[in-house]
Amino acid sequence: MRRGIITRFHSNFAVVRDEDEDLTTLCTLRGRFKLSNIKPMVGDRVEYILSHDRGRIESILPRTITLKRPRVSNVDTVVVVLTRSQPNVPWSMMDRIIAGVELSDVNVVLALNKIDITPKEEIKEFESIYAHYDVVLTSAYTMKGVEELEEHLKGHISVFAGPSGVGKSSLLNSILKSNLKTGSVSQATNMGKHTTTSASLMELENGGFVVDTPGFVTMNFQNLEPSKVQELFPEIKAASLGCLFDDCVHDAEPGCHVKELVEKGEIARSRYESYINILHESEGEERQ
């Protein structure tokens, strides 16, 4: 029995990248998967049997994170691509997207793209506001920051996300062109990308995989417990330890350390305002 990861899936066949060897195999699925209405996903870690140049998937190992758009499992890193020029994405939109990613409990990397056309003061402000995150300054046009971003993908299953027009696909294509592992898919698979019915995992030269299409971030916080909202804002969560009351939600309570740090400029006011907006959104659902 071998272990591997599904990198592509089509109908009743899956391309599996072996976990221990430099081997990629086209695998069939056991009939019991269809009888049990179990559909494998790209990103699934599986156990399979190899016979000659074909394989058969025997079992699917437990999944961690499962994305709906694209339909991929076991993603552990999300690269949020943002811009402050063409388009100038509002801070509030940035924060909602980042908070939506935080809901999934994955590693978050922020890529400020198009820095070749972004004023330096905008770049510095971005770095200051999001200093508690891994921030990479990138340009798909000049390839600035692409190598640094690749280091954050190493050893992970990653997906790119972000609003329209920020260059997600261009940046992703820059990484794939410069760092795609060659010869990773055998000719025997005979499954061109155009035949796949879902996203694919592309193996990178330095290790790890990246989803070949950008993802979609859900930004619905209405079913979130208000006390959990601060967990979507790492700097607010950390500062909450200094609050007078353990159950402080940093809105109207006295002795709030978070609000003190906002007044001192140690927590960006834009971040606090985004937090409050999401907090009230969650409380509105709670009162219904």
Side-chain angles (χ1 to χ4, degrees), residues 82-279:
L82 302 164
T83 53
R84 289 298 288 169
S85 181
Q86 299 183 23
N88 187 332
V89 181
W91 300 117
S92 58
M93 179 181 289
M94 291 188 188
D95 290 335
R96 287 186 68 85
I97 293 172
I98 295 168
V101 174
E102 291 280 10
L103 278 173
S104 299
D105 193 27
V106 295
N107 300 320
V108 181
V109 177
L110 305 184
L112 180 63
N113 199 28
K114 303 186 182 182
I115 60 168
D116 53 306
I117 57 173
T118 304
K120 290 183 179 179
E121 59 270 20
E122 291 279 2
I123 295 175
K124 289 182 179 179
E125 186 176 17
F126 184 93
E127 290 183 299
S128 175
I129 290 174
Y130 299 105
H132 48 283
Y133 282 105
D134 288 324
V135 173
V136 184
L137 307 178
T138 63
S139 168
Y141 180 72
T142 66
M143 297 294 285
K144 173 72 174 179
V146 171
E147 288 187 7
E148 182 183 351
L149 188 54
E150 289 170 358
E151 285 300 309
H152 288 281
L153 308 182
K154 187 175 182 179
H156 297 284
I157 298 178
S158 307
V159 66
F160 282 54
S164 299
V166 296
K168 299 184 296 293
S169 295
S170 297
L171 193 56
L172 179 57
N173 288 337
S174 296
I175 288 175
L176 293 179
K177 288 176 183 177
S178 67
N179 202 26
L180 185 63
K181 185 177 177 65
T182 58
S184 60
V185 180
S186 167
Q187 292 295 323
T189 63
N190 193 28
M191 288 178 60
K193 181 181 176 182
H194 64 282
T195 68
T196 57
T197 58
S198 64
S200 301
L201 292 187
M202 308 302 288
E203 188 174 7
L204 302 176
E205 188 66 39
N206 65 354
F209 298 87
V210 62
V211 182
D212 68 345
T213 184
F216 176 81
V217 179
T218 299
M219 294 179 288
N220 185 345
F221 305 100
Q222 292 182 348
N223 295 320
L224 186 64
E225 292 182 21
S227 61
K228 299 293 185 181
V229 175
Q230 64 181 354
E231 296 180 7
L232 310 182
F233 293 77
E235 71 275 42
I236 292 178
K237 174 64 174 177
S240 69
L241 298 176
C243 290
L244 181 62
F245 300 105
D246 291 340
D247 59 352
C248 182
V249 294
H250 326 302
D251 190 0
E253 301 90 340
C256 177
H257 186 55
V258 169
K259 289 188 289 185
E260 290 177 3
L261 294 186
V262 173
E263 292 302 320
K264 292 179 180 179
E266 295 181 29
I267 291 178
R269 187 167 295 277
S270 61
R271 289 284 286 170
Y272 177 72
E273 291 174 352
S274 294
Y275 163 80
I276 289 296
N277 287 335
I278 293 176
L279 177 69

Side-chain angles (χ1 to χ4, degrees), residues 13 25-28 49-56 188-190:
F13 297 92
T25 306
L26 182 64
C27 294
T28 58
I49 294 174
L50 182 64
S51 177
H52 302 294
D53 63 344
R54 293 296 174 95
R56 185 179 70 193
T189 63
N190 193 28

